[in-house]
C-alpha cells in the first residue's frame, strides 16, 4: 500500500549501491589491512637496524616515541622498524651515518591512521547511513530519503479494500459482537455519533484465548461497515534495526488517516506492547520500546472523530504495558472467550455450511463432545471429519466421522503401529480400568464414556473418556476431591495389583497436583489455610509487577503449609481411590482382562461390568 513515485525509487536505488559499496570497502579494509601493513613494514632487532644504518641502507630515519623507522634506500615503500632503546649515542650514530633524521614526537600518523582511524571512519560512515535510513524509513515523505529501504522491501501493512467476512461468519461470541456493532454504526454514519460531541473510544482491545475468533471479528467489523481494513501483526513490528518499527507505526497511521473511515487492526499486540522493562532480550529491547513509544504518540495524536477506529487483539493482556491500557488509549476491552455449548453449536453450523454433511449429523451432539474447544478447534474438527469421510469414499460426513475426529484431535492420532509389550499392555489396561472404576463408583463423578488402551499421540498410552453432565463453570470442593480420586485411580490400581509404580501416571499426577494447588491457594478449600488467596495468577488487567509483589509476601511457613496441604489432598484422594479399588477388585481385574482383549470398552460394556452410572453427554479424557 505504500506507493512511492518512480523518481524516488530510482534515487533510493542509487543510494543503495553507494551504501553497499561503503560497507564492502569497510570489510575489505578490515580484512586486508594487516596484510598490507606487514608487506610494507619489516621489524628488525636493534643491532640489525644499527648495522643496516651503518651500511647506508636507509635514506631517512624517523624517531618515534617508542620506535625507530628507517626508510629503505632502494625501495621507498619499504620501511624497517625497530623498538627504540634508550641510546644516548643515537644522534651521534645517525649523524655519522649521514642520513636525514627527524622526530615525530608520537607514533607514526599513517600507521595509526591505517590501524585505527580508517576502519573507525568507515564504521562511522556506515553507522550514519543506518541512522539516516532508519529515520527516513517510511517517514511519510521525511526530509531524508531512506538509504537501504529496509522497510520498503517488506511492506507488511496489509490493506484490504473489500473485506468479505461479516458478522454471520463469526458465531458464539454474541456479547463481543454486540459491542462491536456500535463501532460498525459509527463507521457507517460518523455524524450520528459526533452529533452531541461524543466519540468512540480510541482503542478497542479484543482479549481472549488463541483461536476464539479475534482476528476474524476484527475483519468482520470492516466487512460489515464496508471500510478498508489495515492490519499488521505486532510481531512484525519488531525489527532488528532500531527505528524501523517506529517508522512503520508512523506509516500505518498516516496511511490510515488518508483512507478514513477505516479500521486499523494490530494483531498480537502483546508482541509489541509488552511492558517495558520485562525480559529485555539483547538489544531488541530498545527497538520494542521505541516502537511502543511511537504507537503511544500516534494514539494520542489522532482524532477518533476522523473515522479511524483502532482495534487490537491479544491473548495475554496481563503482560501489556500499563501505558497502553490507560484511559484514552486501549481503554475498552472486549472479551472473546471460548464458546459455551450453544456457541459451539452455532460455530459448527457456520462451518457446516459449505461441506457435505449428512442430515443425520446433529450439531448438538458434536458440540456436546467438544467442551473447551475454541472456534479454531471446531473449524479444524469439521475439516478433520471431512477428511476422514473422504478417505473412506463416503457420500457425506456422518456422526461417526465426527466422533473419530474428536478422538483424533483430543488424544492425538491413533498410533496403531506402536507396539507395547504384553506386560506394558497389562499395566496400561489396569491403569485405565482403575480410572474408570473410581469414576463409576463415586456418586458425583462424571460418567465414563469409553476407555481404551490403543496408544495415542506421544504421551498417552491409553485413555479414559468421561462425559461431564454439563458445561461447568463452578465446581464444589466435593467434586474436586472426586476428580482428584479419579485422576489417582490409575496409579492406585497399579500399586494395588502389581505392588509397583510405573511412569505412566506422570501426566495424571501433574493434573492432580494442579487441581490440589488451586484448591488450596485459590479456592480457599483448605481448613488449615482458610479462605485466603495465596495465589497470584495476576488478574488480566493488573500490572505485571503485582505477581512478584504477592509472591514475596508469603512467609516461609505459609509456603510450607501450602505444600503440606497439597500433599494431604492428593494423599487423601489416593487413599479414597485405593479403598474403592480394593472393594471392587474383582471388577477391576475382569474389566482389565476384557480391555486387553477388546482394546476399547464402550459405555454399554462398562455398564454391564458395573451397572451403576447415569447418562450424560460430554467428553473428557484422562490418560
Ligand atoms: P484468534 O485471532 O482469536 O486467534 P482467529 O480469528 O484467527 O482466532 O480464528 C481462526 C479460525 O478459526 C477462523 O478463521 C475461523 O475459521 C475459526 N473461528 C474462530 N472463532 C470462530 C467463531 N467464533 N466463529 C466461526 N469461526 C471461528
Ligand atoms: Mg489471531
Ligand atoms: Zn492415567
Amino acid at each position: 500500500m505504500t506507493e512511492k513515485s518512480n523518481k524516488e525509487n530510482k534515487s533510493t536505488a542509487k543510494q543503495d549501491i553507494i551504501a553497499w559499496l561503503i560497507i564492502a570497502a569497510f570489510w575489505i579494509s578490515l580484512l586486508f589491512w594487516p596484510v598490507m601493513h606487514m608487506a610494507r613494514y619489516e621489524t628488525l632487532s636493534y643491532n640489525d637496524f644499527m648495522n643496516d644504518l651503518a651500511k647506508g641502507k636507509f635514506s631517512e630515519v624517523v624517531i618515534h616515541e617508542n620506535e625507530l623507522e628507517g626508510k629503505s634506500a632502494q625501495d621507498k615503500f619499504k620501511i624497517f622498524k625497530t623498538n627504540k632503546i634508550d641510546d644516548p649515542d643515537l644522534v651521534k650514530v645517525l649523524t655519522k651515518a649521514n642520513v636525514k633524521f627527524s622526530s615525530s614526537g608520537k607514533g607514526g600518523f599513517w600507521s595509526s591512521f591505517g590501524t585505527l582511524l580508517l576502519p573507525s571512519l568507515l564504521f562511522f560512515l556506515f553507522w550514519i547511513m543506518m541512522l539516516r535510513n532508519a529515520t527516513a524509513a517510511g517517514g511519510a515523505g521525511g526530509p531524508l530519503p531512506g538509504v537501504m529501504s529496509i522497510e520498503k522491501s517488506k511492506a507488511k501493512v496489509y490493506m484490504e479494500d473489500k473485506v468479505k467476512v461479516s458478522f454471520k461468519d463469526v458465531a458464539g461470541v454474541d456479547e463481543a459482537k454486540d459491542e462491536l456493532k456500535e463501532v460498525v454504526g459509527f463507521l457507517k454514519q460518523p455524524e450520528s455519533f459526533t452529533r452531541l460531541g461524543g466519540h468512540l473510544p480510541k482503542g478497542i482491545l479484543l482479549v481472549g484465548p488463541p483461536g476464539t475468533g479475534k482476528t476474524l471479528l476484527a475483519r468482520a467489523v470492516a466487512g460489515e461497515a464496508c471500510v478498508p481494513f489495515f492490519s499488521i501483526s505486532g510481531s512484525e513490528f519488531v525489527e532488528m534495526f532500531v527505528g524501523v518499527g517506529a517508522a512503520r507505526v508512523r506509516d500505518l497511521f498516516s496511511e490510515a488517516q488518508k483512507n478514513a473511515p477505516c479500521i486499523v487492526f494490530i494483531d498480537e499486540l502483546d508482541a509489541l506492547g509488552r511492558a517495558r522493562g520485562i525480559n529485555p532480550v539483547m538489544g531488541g529491547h530498545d527497538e520494542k520500546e521505541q516502537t511502543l513509544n511511537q504507537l503511544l504518540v500516534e494514539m494520542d495524536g489522532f482524532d477518533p472523530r476522523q473515522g479511524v477506529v483502532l482495534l487490537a487483539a491479544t491473548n495475554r493482556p496481563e503482560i501489556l504495558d500499563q501505558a497502553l491500557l490507560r484511559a484514552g488509549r486501549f481503554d475498552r476491552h472486549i472479551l472473546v472467550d471460548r464458546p459455551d455449548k450453544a456457541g459451539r453449536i452455532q460455530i459448527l453450523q457456520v462451518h457446516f455450511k459449505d461441506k457435505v454433511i449428512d442430515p443425520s449429523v446433529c450439531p448438538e451432539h458434536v458440540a456436546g463432545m467438544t467442551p473447551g474447544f475454541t472456534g479454531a478447534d471446531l473449524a479444524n474438527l469439521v475439516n478433520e471429519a471431512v477428511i476422514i469421510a473422504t478417505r473412506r469414499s463416503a457420500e457425506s460426513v456422518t456422526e461417526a466421522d465426527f466422533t473419530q475426529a474428536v478422538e483424533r484431535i483430543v488424544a492425538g492420532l491413533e498410533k496403531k503401529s506402536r507396539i507395547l509389550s504384553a506386560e506394558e499392555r497389562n499395566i496400561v489396561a489396569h491403569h485405565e480400568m482403575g480410572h474408570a472404576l473410581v469414576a463409576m463408583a463415586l456418586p458425583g463423578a462424571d460418567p465414563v464414556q469409553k476407555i481404551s488402551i490403543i496408544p495415542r499421540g506421544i504421551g498417552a498410552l491409553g485413555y479414559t473418556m468421561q462425559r461431564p453432565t454439563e458445561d461447568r463453570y463452578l465446581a464444589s470442593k466435593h467434586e474436586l476431591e472426586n476428580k482428584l480420586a479419579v485422576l489417582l485411580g490409575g496409579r492406585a490400581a497399579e500399586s494395588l495389583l502389581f505392588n509397583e509404580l510405573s511412569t505412566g501416571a506422570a501426566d495424571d499426577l501433574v493434573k492432580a497436583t494442579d487441581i490440589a494447588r488451586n484448591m488450596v491457594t485459590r479456592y480457599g478449600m483448605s481448613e488449615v489455610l482458610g479462605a485466603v488467596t495465596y495465589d497470584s495468577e495476576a488478574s488480566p488487567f493488573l500490572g505485571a509487577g503485582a505477581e512478584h509483589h504477592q509472591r514475596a509476601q508469603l512467609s516461609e511457613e505459609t509456603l510450607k503449609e501450602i505444600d503440606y496441604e497439597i500433599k494431604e489432598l492428593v494423599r487423601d484422594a489416593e487413599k479414597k481411590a485405593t479403598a474403592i479399588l480394593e472393594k471392587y477388585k474383582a471388577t477391576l481385574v475382569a474389566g482389565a482382562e476384557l480391555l486387553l482383549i477388546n482394546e476399547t470398552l464402550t459405555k454399554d460394556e462398562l455398564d454391564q461390568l458395573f451397572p451403576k452410572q447415569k447418562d450424560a453427554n460430554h467428553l473428557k479424557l484422562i490418560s
Side-chain angles (χ1 to χ4, degrees):
M1 53 134 253
T2 39
E3 254 179 54
K4 297 275 165 178
S5 69
N6 264 347
K7 209 160 86 188
E8 194 172 326
N9 278 343
K10 245 184 233 161
S11 80
T12 33
K14 212 186 275 168
Q15 268 157 336
D16 272 6
I17 293 171
I18 295 172
W20 287 116
L21 280 178
I22 289 176
I23 295 166
F26 167 64
W27 285 110
I28 289 172
S29 70
L30 208 63
L31 286 174
F32 287 97
W33 198 264
V35 181
M36 283 147 69
H37 210 67
M38 302 246 290
R40 288 185 52 199
Y41 286 92
E42 189 174 321
T43 307
L44 301 173
S45 70
Y46 194 72
N47 338 355
D48 286 346
F49 192 86
M50 284 305 156
N51 284 340
D52 285 355
L53 179 66
K55 282 181 205 152
K57 282 198 178 169
F58 302 146
S59 60
E60 188 185 341
V61 172
V62 183
I63 304 164
H64 296 299
E65 204 172 302
N66 295 315
E67 59 186 24
L68 295 175
E69 262 180 36
K71 277 192 189 159
S72 168
Q74 290 108 22
D75 175 0
K76 63 176 171 178
F77 290 111
K78 184 120 190 171
I79 290 174
F80 294 96
K81 281 208 289 196
T82 188
N83 286 331
K84 196 170 138 188
I85 290 175
D86 209 4
D87 183 352
D89 294 335
L90 182 62
V91 177
K92 236 186 261 171
V93 177
L94 285 170
T95 324
K96 203 173 140 203
N98 197 21
V99 291
K100 269 204 281 181
F101 64 92
S102 56
S103 161
S104 75
K106 285 182 196 142
F109 170 76
W110 284 107
S111 73
S112 50
F113 176 81
T115 46
L116 287 168
L117 272 170
L118 188 62
S120 35
L121 199 73
L122 283 165
F123 186 78
F124 186 68
L125 269 174
F126 175 69
W127 184 58
I128 294 264
M129 289 285 192
M130 295 306 312
L131 269 189
R132 278 180 41 159
N133 170 68
T135 354
L144 297 166
V147 174
M148 281 189 287
S149 309
I150 291 163
E151 91 295 357
K152 295 282 162 21
S153 55
K154 20 175 182 160
K156 287 236 174 102
V157 181
Y158 303 105
M159 187 182 105
E160 272 180 81
D161 234 337
K162 298 220 168 52
V163 181
K164 288 195 201 77
V165 182
S166 71
F167 277 157
K168 282 201 315 295
D169 303 311
V170 196
V173 283
D174 293 334
E175 285 151 52
K177 261 202 282 194
D178 282 343
E179 293 206 44
L180 287 169
K181 272 180 190 146
E182 199 183 330
V183 176
V184 175
F186 166 75
L187 286 167
K188 276 189 167 156
Q189 276 184 311
E191 316 84 47
S192 65
F193 272 80
T194 50
R195 192 172 51 93
L196 299 178
H199 61 82
L200 278 180
K202 268 190 187 170
I204 299 173
L205 186 61
L206 303 173
V207 178
T212 45
K214 299 181 294 297
T215 310
L216 196 64
L217 258 175
R219 300 185 66 229
V221 173
E224 287 283 327
C226 301
V227 297
F229 181 69
F230 290 87
S231 71
I232 187 158
S233 170
S235 53
E236 287 166 2
F237 275 124
V238 182
E239 278 288 335
M240 194 165 55
F241 300 112
V242 177
V244 176
R248 236 177 240 169
V249 172
R250 226 176 300 138
D251 207 23
L252 176 67
F253 277 85
S254 77
E255 212 58 40
Q257 256 149 6
K258 277 182 231 155
N259 287 285
C262 68
I263 287 178
V264 173
F265 177 57
I266 303 179
D267 211 348
E268 293 163 48
L269 183 67
D270 41 284
L272 159 70
R274 188 179 277 273
R276 287 165 286 192
I278 298 186
N279 254 341
V281 194
M282 286 179 55
H285 188 42
D286 265 358
E287 158 66 0
K288 269 189 203 160
E289 211 160 280
Q290 268 205 18
T291 312
L292 176 58
N293 286 339
Q294 187 65 41
L295 178 65
L296 297 178
V297 168
E298 295 291 340
M299 282 194 78
D300 289 344
F302 90 87
D303 182 353
R305 269 166 287 203
Q306 287 173 313
V308 179
V309 171
L310 183 58
L311 292 179
T314 181
N315 47 28
R316 308 173 67 193
E318 71 281 359
I319 67 162
L320 288 181
D321 198 295
Q322 285 303 295
L324 265 176
L325 303 179
R326 68 133 232 248
R329 288 171 183 158
F330 286 107
D331 52 358
R332 167 127 20 134
H333 299 187
I334 297 182
L335 186 64
V336 188
D337 217 345
R338 290 174 201 277
D340 57 6
K341 190 173 171 191
R344 290 197 299 275
I345 295 173
Q346 290 167 25
I347 294 173
L348 283 168
Q349 277 160 347
V350 167
H351 290 280
F352 279 4
K353 246 181 236 157
D354 48 351
K355 320 267 186 328
V356 189
I357 310 283
D358 200 85
S360 70
V361 175
C362 170
E364 213 173 325
H365 272 179
V366 181
M369 286 192 281
T370 51
F373 274 41
T374 62
D377 293 333
L378 290 171
N380 183 22
L381 170 72
V382 174
N383 194 44
E384 196 73 32
V386 172
I387 290 173
I388 292 169
T390 314
R391 205 175 290 148
R392 62 178 179 88
S393 320
E395 295 280 294
S396 60
V397 188
T398 65
E399 199 151 318
D401 298 319
F402 278 100
T403 314
Q404 209 179 330
V406 171
E407 287 176 12
R408 185 174 290 191
I409 288 172
V410 173
L413 283 173
E414 268 190 34
K415 281 216 181 123
K416 290 216 170 104
S417 56
R418 175 138 88 190
I419 297 161
L420 289 179
S421 72
E423 197 185 340
E424 281 170 329
R425 274 165 51 94
N426 195 24
I427 292 172
V428 174
H430 285 87
H431 178 110
E432 297 305 332
M433 197 57 210
H435 283 310
L437 203 53
V438 174
M440 291 190 292
L442 285 171
D446 298 327
V448 179
Q449 192 58 28
K450 181 180 176 182
I451 58 179
S452 163
I453 56 165
I454 298 172
R456 271 147 204 274
I458 296 165
L461 298 177
Y463 64 92
T464 301
M465 197 184 259
Q466 279 177 287
R467 279 175 190 266
T469 330
E470 65 246 23
D471 276 356
R472 297 308 297 267
Y473 297 105
L474 268 181
S476 68
K477 180 180 180 191
H478 189 69
E479 284 166 331
L480 290 176
E481 282 170 351
N482 281 351
K483 214 181 237 183
L484 283 180
V486 173
L487 280 168
L488 286 156
R491 176 183 150 103
E494 285 181 42
S495 73
L496 185 67
L497 287 161
F498 306 105
N499 225 340
E500 190 155 49
L501 298 172
S502 78
T503 55
D507 195 43
D508 299 336
L509 297 186
V510 172
K511 282 187 200 151
T513 312
D514 231 39
I515 293 175
R517 180 174 297 279
N518 280 338
M519 286 172 74
V520 174
T521 61
R522 295 182 62 200
Y523 310 144
M525 287 177 180
S526 147
E527 264 151 43
V528 181
L529 289 157
V532 178
T533 300
Y534 296 95
D535 184 51
S536 38
E537 190 155 315
S539 102
F541 308 118
L542 249 151
E547 185 167 340
H548 306 293
H549 188 62
Q550 261 189 354
R551 278 266 149 79
Q553 281 181 343
L554 294 183
S555 71
E556 195 86 357
E557 266 155 70
T558 312
L559 288 172
K560 230 183 246 169
E561 268 176 354
I562 290 174
D563 286 340
Y564 181 76
E565 284 294 289
I566 293 172
K567 232 181 283 172
E568 277 303 287
L569 276 173
V570 176
R571 195 169 293 160
D572 286 350
E574 189 172 12
K575 271 189 207 145
K576 200 193 246 178
T578 310
I580 291 168
L581 294 178
E582 261 168 354
K583 188 170 166 197
Y584 299 111
K585 197 168 170 183
T587 318
L588 174 63
V589 174
E593 260 166 32
L594 199 60
L595 190 54
L596 277 171
I597 297 164
N598 294 359
E599 292 203 331
T600 56
L601 289 181
T602 61
K603 184 169 176 301
D604 292 340
E605 288 164 319
L606 285 166
D607 279 346
Q608 281 172 11
L609 274 168
F610 198 88
K612 230 177 175 179
Q613 54 168 329
K614 300 175 300 226
D615 189 30
N617 53 4
H618 296 262
L619 294 179
K620 197 170 72 186
L621 289 177
I622 301 170
S623 53

